[in-house]
Amino acid sequence: MSTTALPPVVDAETWQRELDALRVREKAVTRELDAIAAARRRLPMVRMPDYTLEGENGPVRLADVFEGRSQLIVYNHMWFPGETWQCPGCTGFTSQFTRLEFLDNWDARFVIVTQGPIGEALAYKRRVGNTMTWYSTANSSFGADVGAPPGGGFAVNVFLRDGDTVYRTWHTDGRGTEQLGYNFALIDLLPYGRQEEWQDSPEGWPQSPTYSRWSGSKEIAAAYGEPGA
């Protein structure tokens, strides 16, 4: 990329003064996120039916998806029947999560649930090199009941297990999922940011149509997928 648009050049003292002013706002956001997390911990919850999903080894009760843990994060992956390449946004987002064992220390697990039939879902997982555990809700109303119906969008849902009883504690979708990944967190640190047309950027900053810089599912498969999958 070549561009003539550059931030203004100043002396170190001026730069530090501008950074310190921005830091006040950044710290305010951090405190607000702490307050939001505290409110999240105080949310009520909803008891869930005893759903049965499909896993790699056959049917599995929702309570057993926890694999003995008390907390579960579910990413509801978009699925388009008959398509070789599924949603690039979902594919790219979930490809970030390759080391999830640390959640064991917090008595938690993070999995993918999709509307696709389990055989097709697992084949796609291998094709794009995804390392998370996948389940299918193709034969269950689970996806539709948690904001990710057939033909619908993606979502994140969080659940709490008490014995064999499962409760839904939190949900988000759309840009609400951004906070869970590191891609945009890193890109937003860059001087040119995401370089998408909707962003508020200085005059002359490089900008492209939304999504145009995102990796496609084929690119992700080429980088991470199993050969011949």
Side-chain angles (χ1 to χ4, degrees):
M1 179 192 69
S2 61
T3 180
T4 57
L6 298 170
V9 178
V10 296
D11 60 79
E13 291 183 359
T14 301
W15 177 84
Q16 187 65 55
R17 185 167 58 251
E18 294 284 346
L19 178 63
D20 290 344
L22 181 61
R23 185 61 44 78
V24 171
R25 298 175 63 186
E26 291 173 340
K27 292 295 185 182
V29 170
T30 299
R31 288 190 290 271
E32 177 63 11
L33 288 174
D34 286 343
I36 290 171
R40 189 180 294 119
R41 290 191 292 272
R42 289 166 173 78
L43 282 174
M45 58 187 184
V46 177
R47 182 170 180 166
M48 303 295 288
D50 189 16
Y51 295 101
T52 297
L53 308 182
E54 295 289 330
E56 188 168 3
N57 298 314
V60 56
R61 296 173 59 214
L62 178 59
D64 293 330
V65 173
F66 287 72
E67 292 195 343
R69 301 164 184 85
S70 66
Q71 301 168 104
L72 178 70
I73 301 169
V74 170
Y75 184 81
N76 297 96
H77 196 296
M78 292 179 68
W79 190 265
F80 304 104
E83 295 293 330
T84 300
W85 300 107
Q86 298 298 327
C87 169
C90 291
T91 303
F93 177 79
T94 57
S95 71
Q96 300 173 76
F97 303 103
T98 58
R99 297 181 179 179
L100 294 168
E101 293 80 8
F102 73 92
L103 287 173
D104 291 344
N105 292 341
W106 279 265
D107 192 23
R109 192 178 187 217
F110 189 4
V111 303
I112 291 176
V113 174
T114 186
Q115 292 285 354
I118 188 62
E120 295 179 21
L122 294 176
Y124 186 71
K125 170 188 172 179
R126 292 189 295 270
R127 188 178 308 132
V128 298
N130 194 285
T131 62
M132 298 176 74
T133 303
W134 285 51
Y135 296 90
S136 168
T137 187
N139 299 315
S140 165
S141 64
F142 173 77
D145 293 347
V146 297
F154 58 93
V156 173
N157 284 279
V158 180
F159 303 92
L160 180 67
R161 182 181 63 85
D162 182 18
D164 285 337
T165 304
V166 176
Y167 301 91
R168 187 186 187 197
T169 65
W170 188 74
H171 164 270
T172 193
D173 54 19
R175 293 192 63 198
T177 64
E178 286 185 7
Q179 63 179 297
L180 303 180
Y182 62 79
N183 286 2
F184 289 129
L186 292 178
I187 294 169
D188 284 342
L189 295 178
L190 301 173
Y192 295 127
R194 303 187 195 185
Q195 302 177 44
E196 295 191 349
E197 292 173 335
W198 62 270
Q199 283 202 293
D200 181 359
S201 296
E203 184 70 27
W205 251 228
Q207 289 186 302
S208 306
T210 303
Y211 309 128
S212 62
R213 294 179 181 270
W214 292 27
S215 295
S217 299
K218 286 185 180 180
E219 294 174 276
I220 294 168
Y224 306 115
E226 295 182 10

PDB file of all heavy atoms in Angstrom, residues 119-153:
ATOM      1  N   GLY A 119     -22.099 -34.088   9.641  1.00  0.00           N
ATOM      2  CA  GLY A 119     -21.085 -34.564   8.696  1.00  0.00           C
ATOM      3  C   GLY A 119     -20.533 -33.434   7.853  1.00  0.00           C
ATOM      4  O   GLY A 119     -19.313 -33.321   7.663  1.00  0.00           O
ATOM      5  N   GLU A 120     -21.418 -32.577   7.341  1.00  0.00           N
ATOM      6  CA  GLU A 120     -20.980 -31.441   6.533  1.00  0.00           C
ATOM      7  C   GLU A 120     -20.222 -30.429   7.392  1.00  0.00           C
ATOM      8  O   GLU A 120     -19.237 -29.829   6.944  1.00  0.00           O
ATOM      9  CB  GLU A 120     -22.184 -30.780   5.874  1.00  0.00           C
ATOM     10  CG  GLU A 120     -22.908 -31.660   4.864  1.00  0.00           C
ATOM     11  CD  GLU A 120     -24.103 -30.962   4.248  1.00  0.00           C
ATOM     12  OE1 GLU A 120     -24.145 -29.704   4.296  1.00  0.00           O
ATOM     13  OE2 GLU A 120     -25.003 -31.647   3.735  1.00  0.00           O
ATOM     14  N   ALA A 121     -20.691 -30.243   8.621  1.00  0.00           N
ATOM     15  CA  ALA A 121     -20.041 -29.281   9.512  1.00  0.00           C
ATOM     16  C   ALA A 121     -18.613 -29.708   9.835  1.00  0.00           C
ATOM     17  O   ALA A 121     -17.684 -28.896   9.803  1.00  0.00           O
ATOM     18  CB  ALA A 121     -20.851 -29.127  10.792  1.00  0.00           C
ATOM     19  N   LEU A 122     -18.421 -30.989  10.134  1.00  0.00           N
ATOM     20  CA  LEU A 122     -17.083 -31.473  10.459  1.00  0.00           C
ATOM     21  C   LEU A 122     -16.163 -31.447   9.245  1.00  0.00           C
ATOM     22  O   LEU A 122     -14.959 -31.185   9.369  1.00  0.00           O
ATOM     23  CB  LEU A 122     -17.166 -32.884  11.032  1.00  0.00           C
ATOM     24  CG  LEU A 122     -17.866 -33.000  12.394  1.00  0.00           C
ATOM     25  CD1 LEU A 122     -17.983 -34.455  12.805  1.00  0.00           C
ATOM     26  CD2 LEU A 122     -17.127 -32.191  13.464  1.00  0.00           C
ATOM     27  N   ALA A 123     -16.734 -31.713   8.058  1.00  0.00           N
ATOM     28  CA  ALA A 123     -15.929 -31.633   6.835  1.00  0.00           C
ATOM     29  C   ALA A 123     -15.474 -30.194   6.604  1.00  0.00           C
ATOM     30  O   ALA A 123     -14.324 -29.947   6.206  1.00  0.00           O
ATOM     31  CB  ALA A 123     -16.733 -32.139   5.642  1.00  0.00           C
ATOM     32  N   TYR A 124     -16.358 -29.240   6.863  1.00  0.00           N
ATOM     33  CA  TYR A 124     -15.987 -27.830   6.692  1.00  0.00           C
ATOM     34  C   TYR A 124     -14.943 -27.430   7.728  1.00  0.00           C
ATOM     35  O   TYR A 124     -13.988 -26.701   7.416  1.00  0.00           O
ATOM     36  CB  TYR A 124     -17.214 -26.939   6.822  1.00  0.00           C
ATOM     37  CG  TYR A 124     -16.914 -25.490   6.512  1.00  0.00           C
ATOM     38  CD1 TYR A 124     -16.659 -25.087   5.203  1.00  0.00           C
ATOM     39  CD2 TYR A 124     -16.863 -24.531   7.518  1.00  0.00           C
ATOM     40  CE1 TYR A 124     -16.358 -23.759   4.908  1.00  0.00           C
ATOM     41  CE2 TYR A 124     -16.571 -23.211   7.232  1.00  0.00           C
ATOM     42  CZ  TYR A 124     -16.311 -22.829   5.934  1.00  0.00           C
ATOM     43  OH  TYR A 124     -16.012 -21.523   5.645  1.00  0.00           O
ATOM     44  N   LYS A 125     -15.106 -27.911   8.951  1.00  0.00           N
ATOM     45  CA  LYS A 125     -14.127 -27.631  10.002  1.00  0.00           C
ATOM     46  C   LYS A 125     -12.731 -28.045   9.559  1.00  0.00           C
ATOM     47  O   LYS A 125     -11.767 -27.291   9.710  1.00  0.00           O
ATOM     48  CB  LYS A 125     -14.524 -28.375  11.277  1.00  0.00           C
ATOM     49  CG  LYS A 125     -13.464 -28.353  12.358  1.00  0.00           C
ATOM     50  CD  LYS A 125     -13.827 -29.264  13.515  1.00  0.00           C
ATOM     51  CE  LYS A 125     -12.666 -29.377  14.493  1.00  0.00           C
ATOM     52  NZ  LYS A 125     -12.974 -30.228  15.657  1.00  0.00           N
ATOM     53  N   ARG A 126     -12.615 -29.255   8.980  1.00  0.00           N
ATOM     54  CA  ARG A 126     -11.310 -29.734   8.517  1.00  0.00           C
ATOM     55  C   ARG A 126     -10.822 -28.921   7.321  1.00  0.00           C
ATOM     56  O   ARG A 126      -9.634 -28.615   7.205  1.00  0.00           O
ATOM     57  CB  ARG A 126     -11.409 -31.211   8.147  1.00  0.00           C
ATOM     58  CG  ARG A 126     -11.637 -32.132   9.341  1.00  0.00           C
ATOM     59  CD  ARG A 126     -11.515 -33.590   8.942  1.00  0.00           C
ATOM     60  NE  ARG A 126     -12.558 -33.997   8.010  1.00  0.00           N
ATOM     61  CZ  ARG A 126     -13.732 -34.495   8.393  1.00  0.00           C
ATOM     62  NH1 ARG A 126     -14.028 -34.618   9.679  1.00  0.00           N
ATOM     63  NH2 ARG A 126     -14.627 -34.859   7.490  1.00  0.00           N
ATOM     64  N   ARG A 127     -11.759 -28.554   6.436  1.00  0.00           N
ATOM     65  CA  ARG A 127     -11.387 -27.835   5.224  1.00  0.00           C
ATOM     66  C   ARG A 127     -10.729 -26.499   5.544  1.00  0.00           C
ATOM     67  O   ARG A 127      -9.783 -26.082   4.882  1.00  0.00           O
ATOM     68  CB  ARG A 127     -12.622 -27.626   4.347  1.00  0.00           C
ATOM     69  CG  ARG A 127     -12.329 -27.065   2.957  1.00  0.00           C
ATOM     70  CD  ARG A 127     -13.623 -26.950   2.148  1.00  0.00           C
ATOM     71  NE  ARG A 127     -14.341 -28.211   2.152  1.00  0.00           N
ATOM     72  CZ  ARG A 127     -15.655 -28.333   2.416  1.00  0.00           C
ATOM     73  NH1 ARG A 127     -16.384 -27.270   2.690  1.00  0.00           N
ATOM     74  NH2 ARG A 127     -16.218 -29.513   2.405  1.00  0.00           N
ATOM     75  N   VAL A 128     -11.249 -25.816   6.573  1.00  0.00           N
ATOM     76  CA  VAL A 128     -10.727 -24.486   6.899  1.00  0.00           C
ATOM     77  C   VAL A 128      -9.740 -24.517   8.065  1.00  0.00           C
ATOM     78  O   VAL A 128      -9.231 -23.470   8.477  1.00  0.00           O
ATOM     79  CB  VAL A 128     -11.875 -23.497   7.211  1.00  0.00           C
ATOM     80  CG1 VAL A 128     -12.767 -23.324   5.995  1.00  0.00           C
ATOM     81  CG2 VAL A 128     -12.685 -23.939   8.420  1.00  0.00           C
ATOM     82  N   GLY A 129      -9.463 -25.707   8.617  1.00  0.00           N
ATOM     83  CA  GLY A 129      -8.470 -25.821   9.665  1.00  0.00           C
ATOM     84  C   GLY A 129      -8.912 -25.315  11.016  1.00  0.00           C
ATOM     85  O   GLY A 129      -8.083 -24.928  11.848  1.00  0.00           O
ATOM     86  N   ASN A 130     -10.224 -25.344  11.277  1.00  0.00           N
ATOM     87  CA  ASN A 130     -10.719 -24.888  12.576  1.00  0.00           C
ATOM     88  C   ASN A 130     -10.376 -25.911  13.654  1.00  0.00           C
ATOM     89  O   ASN A 130     -10.461 -27.119  13.420  1.00  0.00           O
ATOM     90  CB  ASN A 130     -12.234 -24.681  12.515  1.00  0.00           C
ATOM     91  CG  ASN A 130     -12.758 -23.899  13.699  1.00  0.00           C
ATOM     92  OD1 ASN A 130     -12.865 -24.435  14.788  1.00  0.00           O
ATOM     93  ND2 ASN A 130     -13.090 -22.639  13.483  1.00  0.00           N
ATOM     94  N   THR A 131      -9.982 -25.449  14.838  1.00  0.00           N
ATOM     95  CA  THR A 131      -9.558 -26.359  15.900  1.00  0.00           C
ATOM     96  C   THR A 131     -10.564 -26.468  17.039  1.00  0.00           C
ATOM     97  O   THR A 131     -10.345 -27.243  17.977  1.00  0.00           O
ATOM     98  CB  THR A 131      -8.206 -25.914  16.490  1.00  0.00           C
ATOM     99  OG1 THR A 131      -8.346 -24.617  17.074  1.00  0.00           O
ATOM    100  CG2 THR A 131      -7.128 -25.885  15.412  1.00  0.00           C
ATOM    101  N   MET A 132     -11.647 -25.705  17.008  1.00  0.00           N
ATOM    102  CA  MET A 132     -12.644 -25.773  18.063  1.00  0.00           C
ATOM    103  C   MET A 132     -13.503 -27.026  17.897  1.00  0.00           C
ATOM    104  O   MET A 132     -13.519 -27.656  16.838  1.00  0.00           O
ATOM    105  CB  MET A 132     -13.518 -24.523  18.049  1.00  0.00           C
ATOM    106  CG  MET A 132     -12.759 -23.238  18.304  1.00  0.00           C
ATOM    107  SD  MET A 132     -13.782 -21.753  18.168  1.00  0.00           S
ATOM    108  CE  MET A 132     -14.743 -21.852  19.668  1.00  0.00           C
ATOM    109  N   THR A 133     -14.228 -27.389  18.949  1.00  0.00           N
ATOM    110  CA  THR A 133     -15.157 -28.511  18.887  1.00  0.00           C
ATOM    111  C   THR A 133     -16.482 -28.027  18.296  1.00  0.00           C
ATOM    112  O   THR A 133     -17.011 -27.001  18.718  1.00  0.00           O
ATOM    113  CB  THR A 133     -15.396 -29.100  20.287  1.00  0.00           C
ATOM    114  OG1 THR A 133     -14.132 -29.490  20.845  1.00  0.00           O
ATOM    115  CG2 THR A 133     -16.305 -30.314  20.203  1.00  0.00           C
ATOM    116  N   TRP A 134     -16.996 -28.780  17.312  1.00  0.00           N
ATOM    117  CA  TRP A 134     -18.218 -28.398  16.626  1.00  0.00           C
ATOM    118  C   TRP A 134     -19.368 -29.331  16.993  1.00  0.00           C
ATOM    119  O   TRP A 134     -19.184 -30.533  17.175  1.00  0.00           O
ATOM    120  CB  TRP A 134     -18.025 -28.469  15.108  1.00  0.00           C
ATOM    121  CG  TRP A 134     -17.222 -27.343  14.519  1.00  0.00           C
ATOM    122  CD1 TRP A 134     -16.015 -26.902  14.916  1.00  0.00           C
ATOM    123  CD2 TRP A 134     -17.596 -26.530  13.395  1.00  0.00           C
ATOM    124  NE1 TRP A 134     -15.587 -25.870  14.118  1.00  0.00           N
ATOM    125  CE2 TRP A 134     -16.537 -25.622  13.172  1.00  0.00           C
ATOM    126  CE3 TRP A 134     -18.707 -26.500  12.544  1.00  0.00           C
ATOM    127  CZ2 TRP A 134     -16.567 -24.677  12.143  1.00  0.00           C
ATOM    128  CZ3 TRP A 134     -18.726 -25.567  11.529  1.00  0.00           C
ATOM    129  CH2 TRP A 134     -17.675 -24.663  11.327  1.00  0.00           C
ATOM    130  N   TYR A 135     -20.558 -28.746  17.056  1.00  0.00           N
ATOM    131  CA  TYR A 135     -21.799 -29.494  17.235  1.00  0.00           C
ATOM    132  C   TYR A 135     -22.820 -28.989  16.227  1.00  0.00           C
ATOM    133  O   TYR A 135     -22.735 -27.854  15.752  1.00  0.00           O
ATOM    134  CB  TYR A 135     -22.354 -29.310  18.652  1.00  0.00           C
ATOM    135  CG  TYR A 135     -21.461 -29.861  19.732  1.00  0.00           C
ATOM    136  CD1 TYR A 135     -20.484 -29.056  20.327  1.00  0.00           C
ATOM    137  CD2 TYR A 135     -21.579 -31.174  20.157  1.00  0.00           C
ATOM    138  CE1 TYR A 135     -19.654 -29.556  21.315  1.00  0.00           C
ATOM    139  CE2 TYR A 135     -20.751 -31.693  21.153  1.00  0.00           C
ATOM    140  CZ  TYR A 135     -19.793 -30.869  21.725  1.00  0.00           C
ATOM    141  OH  TYR A 135     -18.960 -31.368  22.703  1.00  0.00           O
ATOM    142  N   SER A 136     -23.791 -29.835  15.932  1.00  0.00           N
ATOM    143  CA  SER A 136     -24.850 -29.467  14.994  1.00  0.00           C
ATOM    144  C   SER A 136     -26.188 -29.397  15.716  1.00  0.00           C
ATOM    145  O   SER A 136     -26.502 -30.241  16.565  1.00  0.00           O
ATOM    146  CB  SER A 136     -24.943 -30.503  13.867  1.00  0.00           C
ATOM    147  OG  SER A 136     -26.127 -30.301  13.108  1.00  0.00           O
ATOM    148  N   THR A 137     -26.967 -28.393  15.374  1.00  0.00           N
ATOM    149  CA  THR A 137     -28.331 -28.272  15.879  1.00  0.00           C
ATOM    150  C   THR A 137     -29.347 -28.454  14.748  1.00  0.00           C
ATOM    151  O   THR A 137     -30.472 -27.993  14.819  1.00  0.00           O
ATOM    152  CB  THR A 137     -28.533 -26.915  16.590  1.00  0.00           C
ATOM    153  OG1 THR A 137     -29.815 -26.899  17.215  1.00  0.00           O
ATOM    154  CG2 THR A 137     -28.418 -25.761  15.618  1.00  0.00           C
ATOM    155  N   ALA A 138     -28.903 -29.152  13.682  1.00  0.00           N
ATOM    156  CA  ALA A 138     -29.770 -29.354  12.520  1.00  0.00           C
ATOM    157  C   ALA A 138     -31.047 -30.095  12.872  1.00  0.00           C
ATOM    158  O   ALA A 138     -32.097 -29.882  12.247  1.00  0.00           O
ATOM    159  CB  ALA A 138     -29.008 -30.113  11.427  1.00  0.00           C
ATOM    160  N   ASN A 139     -30.987 -30.968  13.861  1.00  0.00           N
ATOM    161  CA  ASN A 139     -32.155 -31.762  14.254  1.00  0.00           C
ATOM    162  C   ASN A 139     -32.737 -31.302  15.583  1.00  0.00           C
ATOM    163  O   ASN A 139     -33.405 -32.073  16.277  1.00  0.00           O
ATOM    164  CB  ASN A 139     -31.767 -33.240  14.335  1.00  0.00           C
ATOM    165  CG  ASN A 139     -31.285 -33.781  13.004  1.00  0.00           C
ATOM    166  OD1 ASN A 139     -31.888 -33.536  11.965  1.00  0.00           O
ATOM    167  ND2 ASN A 139     -30.171 -34.511  13.024  1.00  0.00           N
ATOM    168  N   SER A 140     -32.480 -30.063  15.920  1.00  0.00           N
ATOM    169  CA  SER A 140     -32.928 -29.511  17.195  1.00  0.00           C
ATOM    170  C   SER A 140     -33.338 -28.059  16.995  1.00  0.00           C
ATOM    171  O   SER A 140     -32.866 -27.389  16.071  1.00  0.00           O
ATOM    172  CB  SER A 140     -31.793 -29.597  18.228  1.00  0.00           C
ATOM    173  OG  SER A 140     -32.044 -28.786  19.347  1.00  0.00           O
ATOM    174  N   SER A 141     -34.211 -27.574  17.854  1.00  0.00           N
ATOM    175  CA  SER A 141     -34.619 -26.164  17.792  1.00  0.00           C
ATOM    176  C   SER A 141     -33.665 -25.267  18.571  1.00  0.00           C
ATOM    177  O   SER A 141     -33.910 -24.063  18.692  1.00  0.00           O
ATOM    178  CB  SER A 141     -36.035 -25.999  18.354  1.00  0.00           C
ATOM    179  OG  SER A 141     -36.075 -26.335  19.743  1.00  0.00           O
ATOM    180  N   PHE A 142     -32.579 -25.826  19.063  1.00  0.00           N
ATOM    181  CA  PHE A 142     -31.660 -25.069  19.917  1.00  0.00           C
ATOM    182  C   PHE A 142     -31.196 -23.772  19.255  1.00  0.00           C
ATOM    183  O   PHE A 142     -31.259 -22.692  19.850  1.00  0.00           O
ATOM    184  CB  PHE A 142     -30.447 -25.931  20.276  1.00  0.00           C
ATOM    185  CG  PHE A 142     -29.371 -25.194  21.021  1.00  0.00           C
ATOM    186  CD1 PHE A 142     -29.521 -24.904  22.369  1.00  0.00           C
ATOM    187  CD2 PHE A 142     -28.205 -24.789  20.384  1.00  0.00           C
ATOM    188  CE1 PHE A 142     -28.529 -24.221  23.068  1.00  0.00           C
ATOM    189  CE2 PHE A 142     -27.211 -24.115  21.066  1.00  0.00           C
ATOM    190  CZ  PHE A 142     -27.371 -23.825  22.411  1.00  0.00           C
ATOM    191  N   GLY A 143     -30.713 -23.859  18.007  1.00  0.00           N
ATOM    192  CA  GLY A 143     -30.208 -22.671  17.332  1.00  0.00           C
ATOM    193  C   GLY A 143     -31.265 -21.588  17.201  1.00  0.00           C
ATOM    194  O   GLY A 143     -31.019 -20.414  17.494  1.00  0.00           O
ATOM    195  N   ALA A 144     -32.449 -21.992  16.765  1.00  0.00           N
ATOM    196  CA  ALA A 144     -33.537 -21.024  16.597  1.00  0.00           C
ATOM    197  C   ALA A 144     -33.923 -20.395  17.927  1.00  0.00           C
ATOM    198  O   ALA A 144     -34.287 -19.211  17.986  1.00  0.00           O
ATOM    199  CB  ALA A 144     -34.746 -21.704  15.965  1.00  0.00           C
ATOM    200  N   ASP A 145     -33.832 -21.157  19.007  1.00  0.00           N
ATOM    201  CA  ASP A 145     -34.254 -20.671  20.318  1.00  0.00           C
ATOM    202  C   ASP A 145     -33.242 -19.727  20.955  1.00  0.00           C
ATOM    203  O   ASP A 145     -33.570 -19.046  21.934  1.00  0.00           O
ATOM    204  CB  ASP A 145     -34.510 -21.852  21.257  1.00  0.00           C
ATOM    205  CG  ASP A 145     -35.711 -22.690  20.826  1.00  0.00           C
ATOM    206  OD1 ASP A 145     -36.486 -22.230  19.965  1.00  0.00           O
ATOM    207  OD2 ASP A 145     -35.850 -23.821  21.341  1.00  0.00           O
ATOM    208  N   VAL A 146     -32.011 -19.701  20.428  1.00  0.00           N
ATOM    209  CA  VAL A 146     -30.990 -18.820  21.023  1.00  0.00           C
ATOM    210  C   VAL A 146     -30.517 -17.760  20.029  1.00  0.00           C
ATOM    211  O   VAL A 146     -29.407 -17.243  20.130  1.00  0.00           O
ATOM    212  CB  VAL A 146     -29.790 -19.627  21.569  1.00  0.00           C
ATOM    213  CG1 VAL A 146     -30.236 -20.543  22.685  1.00  0.00           C
ATOM    214  CG2 VAL A 146     -29.094 -20.417  20.463  1.00  0.00           C
ATOM    215  N   GLY A 147     -31.373 -17.417  19.074  1.00  0.00           N
ATOM    216  CA  GLY A 147     -31.071 -16.299  18.184  1.00  0.00           C
ATOM    217  C   GLY A 147     -30.265 -16.633  16.963  1.00  0.00           C
ATOM    218  O   GLY A 147     -29.715 -15.733  16.328  1.00  0.00           O
ATOM    219  N   ALA A 148     -30.168 -17.922  16.589  1.00  0.00           N
ATOM    220  CA  ALA A 148     -29.427 -18.321  15.392  1.00  0.00           C
ATOM    221  C   ALA A 148     -30.229 -19.367  14.619  1.00  0.00           C
ATOM    222  O   ALA A 148     -29.838 -20.535  14.535  1.00  0.00           O
ATOM    223  CB  ALA A 148     -28.058 -18.871  15.775  1.00  0.00           C
ATOM    224  N   PRO A 149     -31.360 -18.967  14.031  1.00  0.00           N
ATOM    225  CA  PRO A 149     -32.227 -19.911  13.341  1.00  0.00           C
ATOM    226  C   PRO A 149     -31.648 -20.336  11.997  1.00  0.00           C
ATOM    227  O   PRO A 149     -30.697 -19.714  11.502  1.00  0.00           O
ATOM    228  CB  PRO A 149     -33.513 -19.105  13.146  1.00  0.00           C
ATOM    229  CG  PRO A 149     -33.036 -17.689  13.043  1.00  0.00           C
ATOM    230  CD  PRO A 149     -31.881 -17.591  14.006  1.00  0.00           C
ATOM    231  N   PRO A 150     -32.188 -21.380  11.377  1.00  0.00           N
ATOM    232  CA  PRO A 150     -31.741 -21.764  10.031  1.00  0.00           C
ATOM    233  C   PRO A 150     -31.843 -20.573   9.080  1.00  0.00           C
ATOM    234  O   PRO A 150     -32.867 -19.878   9.048  1.00  0.00           O
ATOM    235  CB  PRO A 150     -32.705 -22.878   9.643  1.00  0.00           C
ATOM    236  CG  PRO A 150     -33.148 -23.460  10.949  1.00  0.00           C
ATOM    237  CD  PRO A 150     -33.223 -22.290  11.893  1.00  0.00           C
ATOM    238  N   GLY A 151     -30.789 -20.325   8.330  1.00  0.00           N
ATOM    239  CA  GLY A 151     -30.772 -19.186   7.420  1.00  0.00           C
ATOM    240  C   GLY A 151     -30.542 -17.859   8.105  1.00  0.00           C
ATOM    241  O   GLY A 151     -30.518 -16.813   7.458  1.00  0.00           O
ATOM    242  N   GLY A 152     -30.384 -17.881   9.423  1.00  0.00           N
ATOM    243  CA  GLY A 152     -30.192 -16.647  10.175  1.00  0.00           C
ATOM    244  C   GLY A 152     -28.736 -16.319  10.377  1.00  0.00           C
ATOM    245  O   GLY A 152     -27.842 -16.924   9.780  1.00  0.00           O
ATOM    246  N   GLY A 153     -28.485 -15.359  11.233  1.00  0.00           N
ATOM    247  CA  GLY A 153     -27.134 -14.873  11.436  1.00  0.00           C
ATOM    248  C   GLY A 153     -26.374 -15.648  12.490  1.00  0.00           C
ATOM    249  O   GLY A 153     -26.761 -16.733  12.915  1.00  0.00           O
TER     250      GLY A 153
END
